[in-house]
Amino acid sequence: PRSRGLGDVYKRQVVRCEGALTPDVASSAEALGVELESIVKSLVFAVDGAFVVVVTNGETKVDVKKLASAMGVANRRVRLATREETIRACGFVPGTVPPFGHARRLRTFVDASAPSEIGAGPVFGGGGDADAEVRVESVDELLRLTDGELLDVKKRERGEALPEIVPAYDDADAPKLRAQIEASEPLTRQLDEFLEGSFETDLSSSF
């Protein structure tokens, strides 16, 4: 079956950031000239041998205990996927992962606070390449495209400031990523196929 059959029923746009690398929320917001809350990041987590995607906006940090509780597993069974696992699970490098259009269908959770924090404006997320962001027109569109489940995953600690955003890849990766851009070998082909409704997804590994 086609990946959720949504290619022709929503507004979308892959936005190039004029050569700027956008591996995290802060750099994406700066390149696009939008508020941090309008940027979503998509993180792949390994949960008891399977993979799920967690979509949060702004500087939200994921509370793995909440994710473990929702999945019905012990806290120690939940961890952030490695770079290699992320590529294998969804087909994208960490820092470029879009919220939808993955290599196979993955159960997806969207932080429950995202709708109120983003409001009625557009949403931007990883665009499959180091200098690209995908835009959807609303949180409702985001939820429909991801088939996402709203879940409170935000880590909340009284009196503690939000942590600094950690880039999804090391500075040493930058030359390689720039070379990919200059060589016109975007990683967005898979995402483009999804957006056009022609991407085939493997449902055998879904929950």
Side-chain angles (χ1 to χ4, degrees):
R2 295 188 184 279
S3 183
R4 299 171 202 160
L6 297 170
D8 59 350
V9 295
Y10 65 92
K11 297 179 181 178
R12 51 75 182 171
Q13 180 181 12
V14 174
V15 181
R16 287 286 173 179
C17 297
E18 300 182 356
L21 296 179
T22 56
D24 53 37
V25 170
S27 59
S28 297
E30 181 178 1
L32 294 169
V34 300
E35 297 295 326
L36 288 173
E37 289 73 18
S38 298
I39 306 294
V40 297
K41 56 180 176 286
S42 304
L43 303 173
V44 178
F45 282 83
V47 180
D48 203 21
F51 296 104
V52 301
V53 176
V54 177
V55 180
T56 64
N57 73 301
E59 296 180 315
T60 296
K61 186 175 181 179
V62 175
D63 188 334
V64 295
K65 294 180 181 178
K66 292 180 178 179
L67 182 57
S69 177
M71 297 294 294
V73 301
N75 296 340
R76 67 179 182 279
R77 306 299 294 176
V78 179
R79 60 175 174 79
L80 191 65
T82 66
R83 177 188 177 94
E84 291 72 24
E85 288 172 334
T86 298
I87 295 172
R88 187 168 69 251
C90 70
F92 296 98
V93 176
T96 73
V97 178
F100 47 77
H102 306 134
R104 52 178 170 163
R105 189 169 185 175
L106 299 173
R107 188 175 182 181
T108 300
F109 296 99
V110 178
D111 182 54
S113 63
S116 61
E117 292 184 358
I118 295 172
V123 184
F124 299 87
D129 208 346
D131 68 339
E133 300 290 322
V134 65
R135 168 181 170 147
V136 295
E137 295 304 312
S138 67
V139 176
D140 286 343
E141 287 292 325
L142 176 68
L143 289 169
R144 180 155 63 245
L145 293 171
T146 59
D147 197 18
E149 304 170 46
L150 285 174
L151 178 69
D152 177 19
V153 295
K154 179 180 287 189
K155 187 171 185 178
R156 308 172 191 272
E157 297 183 27
R158 182 179 301 175
E160 182 173 318
L162 288 170
E164 293 184 4
I165 297 173
V166 179
Y169 53 77
D170 297 330
D171 290 341
D173 290 327
K176 183 188 300 182
L177 292 169
R178 289 190 183 279
Q180 290 175 341
I181 297 171
E182 294 170 0
S184 298
E185 296 178 352
L187 301 174
T188 52
R189 185 176 300 108
Q190 176 177 307
L191 182 59
D192 287 339
E193 290 176 356
F194 173 84
L195 294 172
E196 293 300 328
S198 62
F199 185 73
E200 300 292 333
T201 186
D202 176 11
L203 300 183
S204 63
S205 59
S206 61
F207 285 83

